Amino acid sequence: MKLPLSLTNPNMASGSGSLMWFRKGLRIHDNPALEYASRGSTCVYPLFVIDPHYMEPDPNAFSPGSTRAGINRIRFLLESLADLDSSLKKLGSRLLVLKGEPGEVLIRCLNEWDVKKLCFEYDTDPYYQALDKKVKNYASAAGIEVFSPVSHTLFNPADIIEKNGGRPPLTYQSFLKLAGEPLWASSPLSVELSSIPPVGDVGSCEILQVPTLKELGYVEEYQDEFTPFRGGESEGLRRLRETLCDKEWVANFEKPKGDPSAYIKPATTVLSPYLKFGCLSSRYFYQCLQDVYKNAKRHSSPPVSLVGQLLWRDFFYTVAFGTPNFDKMKGNKICKQIPWNDDDKLLAAWREARTGFPWIDAIMVQLRKWGWMHHLARHSVACFLTRGDLFVHWEKGRDVFERLLIDSDWAINNGNWLWLSCSSFFYQYNRIYSPISFGRKYDPNGNYIRHFLPILKDIPKEYIYEPWTAPLSVQTKAKCIIGRDYPKPVVSHETASKECKKKMGEAYAVNQRLNGAVSEEDLRNLRRKFAEGDEEQQPKPRRLRQKLIN
């Protein structure tokens, strides 16, 4: 396998110290960087840097957490670090925690410690690409060997792009043809280390223990329900073993099937946060699945199978790595240019579970409390915010998911928002998720809504997805008056969805006519046209109001 950012010379650093820099890849099993750091070294410094960019509390953010991450994801990371520290101690080592800007901290450590090898897992995220270049250049100039293997994904995205003539494949099927079988898949992965060389002299560096939330400066507010998913390699492997026990379920898994309203026992593996932080190796997961398939009479195949989901993950990583401005509409050559609404009130209603549509609001409450929800639930709220009802920019929704999800992953989160807003990859904008009938199909009694929106718990099931249609006597008996105890709908779904489809059609036509070269002026003209169309809709408020109240 091609290893970017690697300067591998096995004889260069024999019998000396290695620095193992953990970022993602918070595991012992299938960790080629850790294995290489340990090989032939007299000491190994396992390091994690508390990055203020990611971890420092931000009192101005819309939810508890840092500027970049909500408190659920920070807690998950700290649990993962504590678990990694515990595993390292069993191997005669420990996790060294330092605080500061990672590039500066790394350079200081390379100066102070007796290190001839610097090892870290390769990362395609733009933030780490810039950081790693800085650290690699310093290490190389200082005569320190750098080993940075690809082990967070099944394939090296650079290899796939090279095979495709320097461009990322933009369809899943073309990605599969280029990718083939992973080169490492036919031989067993190294899943155990018997020991790690001891930690060397740390000099004047002030080594910290894995901090608690309180030690980082967070004040945990009272909450009646917390995320049920605990971070760490041990928990990730336990969940994987539990999943693999049901071989028939694994063999026949098909996405997008599954019940998005199942919360007591989610209808998926819930391994995504463990893959995101590298607590679970995607390569090890892949091999375990292939072992199940070999012994199954029949099994599902990509794109719907569990292996197919890992390949989707690699697909998005590859496209993201090869597409400048992948996380933006402007300057992103694969993204449709659409004049989305800049409506902060509608965005806030969606973000804060105040849309008046119980299915949508319950999902957003689960997101805030758990930091996770089923993929079809994510599809529902993303469609509703963008092309389905509110016509708010996908970047605004992406930012909310990026903050609140414990499995938030730069490539996958942006890829899914591009897809669900019909900005890229998927273009059938007339196919939308109804905020009323889609949830009802899975959960006619509304148990999911009653759990996450207890204010609606006594609303009869025939009104639970549309409580504004319940007679006042029913609302009174349920102790939930719509417009007082729970909001009225922010839009009429019937009207808003028609308008969204019309706007998408006109925006697509402009993109096609200009071959994607849509200017700011073109978008302004479309916005003006849409605004005039909205004004023509205004003479009907009386009928709309009656529909909402009846």
Side-chain angles (χ1 to χ4, degrees):
M1 190 193 305
K2 184 181 174 184
L3 303 173
L5 300 187
S6 289
L7 305 171
T8 56
N9 179 349
N11 302 315
M12 186 175 171
S14 180
S16 51
S18 300
L19 197 161
M20 172 61 206
W21 180 21
F22 285 98
R23 302 95 64 85
K24 295 173 189 165
L26 303 178
R27 64 180 184 270
I28 305 298
H29 76 280
D30 184 35
N31 193 330
L34 177 60
E35 197 177 345
Y36 190 76
S38 302
R39 194 182 305 151
S41 299
T42 53
C43 63
V44 172
Y45 297 88
L47 176 69
F48 184 87
V49 182
I50 299 285
D51 185 350
H53 165 82
Y54 185 85
M55 304 283 270
E56 204 166 85
D58 180 1
N60 299 315
F62 70 76
S63 75
S66 69
T67 305
R68 303 283 299 171
I71 202 161
N72 276 328
R73 189 154 83 254
I74 292 171
R75 184 189 293 108
F76 192 97
L77 171 58
L78 295 178
E79 290 167 350
S80 300
L81 293 174
D83 184 66
L84 177 62
D85 184 41
S86 174
S87 297
L88 287 168
K89 283 173 178 169
K90 290 171 187 171
L91 295 169
S93 183
R94 62 167 287 205
L95 187 64
L96 308 174
V97 179
L98 290 172
K99 196 173 183 180
E101 194 283 316
E104 293 171 8
V105 172
L106 257 288
I107 288 168
R108 193 171 86 239
C109 292
L110 293 174
N111 271 325
E112 286 205 29
W113 299 346
D114 177 24
V115 168
K116 295 296 181 207
K117 283 194 290 190
L118 171 63
C119 304
F120 56 90
E121 184 177 68
Y122 182 66
D123 198 314
T124 56
D125 284 12
Y127 175 72
Y128 282 108
Q129 286 281 299
L131 176 60
D132 294 354
K133 186 177 179 183
K134 173 183 170 183
V135 171
K136 172 188 172 269
N137 287 343
Y138 177 86
S140 299
I144 296 169
E145 179 189 359
V146 178
F147 183 69
S148 181
V150 173
S151 53
H152 189 63
T153 49
L154 304 180
F155 300 92
N156 180 353
D159 286 348
I160 304 288
I161 291 166
E162 190 181 330
K163 280 185 188 177
N164 201 40
R167 301 179 314 278
L170 296 180
T171 68
Y172 183 75
Q173 291 303 328
S174 60
F175 168 80
L176 291 187
K177 283 178 186 172
L178 288 162
E181 278 291 309
L183 295 176
W184 47 264
S186 56
S187 52
L189 295 167
S190 173
V191 292
E192 287 182 11
L193 282 176
S194 55
S195 66
I196 295 172
V199 175
D201 180 9
V202 296
S204 63
C205 290
E206 189 181 340
I207 305 298
L208 308 172
Q209 299 289 333
V210 175
T212 63
L213 281 171
K214 190 175 180 181
E215 287 165 347
L216 285 175
Y218 291 99
V219 179
E220 288 211 68
E221 298 172 3
Y222 171 76
Q223 192 172 307
D224 60 355
E225 186 174 4
F226 291 92
T227 179
F229 311 118
R230 184 174 179 80
E233 177 183 22
S234 301
E235 179 64 12
L237 289 172
R238 185 196 69 77
R239 292 191 76 91
L240 176 63
R241 286 193 297 270
E242 195 176 84
T243 296
L244 295 172
C245 279
D246 191 346
K247 290 181 170 49
E248 188 178 347
W249 183 86
V250 169
N252 296 314
F253 179 91
E254 289 189 11
K255 188 177 176 179
K257 292 178 183 176
D259 182 355
S261 69
Y263 64 93
I264 295 169
K265 188 180 186 301
T268 66
T269 63
V270 196
L271 289 171
S272 54
Y274 303 93
L275 292 166
K276 178 262 184 306
F277 282 106
C279 301
L280 174 65
S281 158
S282 62
R283 308 191 314 170
Y284 180 57
F285 188 16
Y286 180 94
Q287 284 199 337
C288 290
L289 292 173
Q290 295 292 10
D291 288 343
V292 172
Y293 293 164
K294 280 175 198 167
N295 297 309
K297 287 181 181 175
R298 60 167 297 278
H299 62 82
S300 53
S301 301
V304 299
S305 62
L306 279 174
V307 158
Q309 304 321 299
L310 289 175
L311 292 166
W312 274 114
R313 179 176 181 266
D314 264 61
F315 167 69
F316 280 130
Y317 265 83
T318 303
V319 181
F321 183 62
T323 305
N325 301 310
F326 183 70
D327 60 342
K328 300 175 181 69
M329 180 176 82
K330 290 178 186 172
N332 182 348
K333 64 184 179 183
I334 70 168
C335 181
K336 298 281 188 194
Q337 303 299 297
I338 296 169
W340 301 104
N341 290 341
D342 189 18
D343 192 320
D344 287 339
K345 284 186 178 178
L346 287 178
L347 173 66
W350 175 83
R351 185 182 67 213
E352 293 160 17
R354 294 187 285 103
T355 68
F357 290 90
W359 172 243
I360 299 300
D361 292 342
I363 295 167
M364 296 306 289
V365 170
Q366 185 184 23
L367 169 62
R368 191 174 286 250
K369 287 187 173 184
W370 287 24
W372 181 91
M373 64 283 211
H374 188 276
H375 54 270
L376 290 176
R378 301 180 195 207
H379 293 189
S380 293
V381 294
C383 178
F384 181 85
L385 180 70
T386 57
R387 64 186 174 85
D389 290 81
L390 304 187
F391 212 68
V392 169
H393 203 312
W394 63 267
E395 290 176 21
K396 301 284 184 77
R398 180 274 319 277
D399 289 345
V400 174
F401 272 29
E402 186 175 298
R403 176 175 187 78
L404 295 179
L405 284 169
I406 55 174
D407 61 6
S408 176
D409 185 305
W410 188 82
I412 298 166
N413 190 32
N414 281 293
N416 278 326
W417 277 94
L418 284 162
W419 185 297
L420 291 162
S421 65
C422 283
S423 294
S424 193
F425 306 116
F426 176 77
Y427 305 107
Q428 297 176 41
Y429 58 80
N430 282 311
R431 290 176 59 185
I432 63 169
Y433 292 87
S434 165
I436 299 161
S437 62
F438 185 73
R440 183 185 279 147
K441 178 171 69 172
Y442 295 95
D443 181 19
N445 194 49
N447 295 334
Y448 175 84
I449 290 168
R450 295 175 203 282
H451 178 81
F452 289 106
L453 294 173
I455 190 67
L456 296 172
K457 66 183 173 61
D458 293 323
I459 293 282
K461 70 176 186 178
E462 56 265 38
Y463 302 114
I464 191 72
Y465 287 89
E466 302 172 273
W468 63 91
T469 65
L472 187 57
S473 59
V474 171
Q475 296 179 32
T476 304
K477 187 178 178 184
K479 297 185 180 66
C480 181
I481 305 299
I482 304 306
R484 185 190 75 189
D485 304 307
Y486 179 74
K488 294 178 182 178
V490 290
V491 292
S492 157
H493 170 62
E494 188 181 349
T495 305
S497 60
K498 282 178 185 171
E499 280 302 301
C500 283
K501 288 173 187 175
K502 184 181 172 189
K503 288 173 182 177
M504 289 295 287
E506 292 187 32
Y508 267 43
V510 169
N511 276 264
Q512 186 173 13
R513 179 165 51 83
L514 299 175
N515 199 25
V518 180
S519 67
E520 274 297 312
E521 188 178 352
D522 295 322
L523 289 176
R524 275 196 298 273
N525 290 338
L526 264 178
R527 274 197 192 91
R528 200 175 299 120
K529 186 179 178 185
F530 291 168
E532 288 167 3
D534 289 342
E535 283 171 16
E536 288 173 17
Q537 296 290 321
Q538 291 305 309
K540 304 175 185 175
R542 191 179 299 270
R543 281 178 58 200
L544 174 62
R545 196 157 49 237
Q546 284 171 347
K547 184 165 188 178
L548 294 181
I549 292 171
N550 284 347

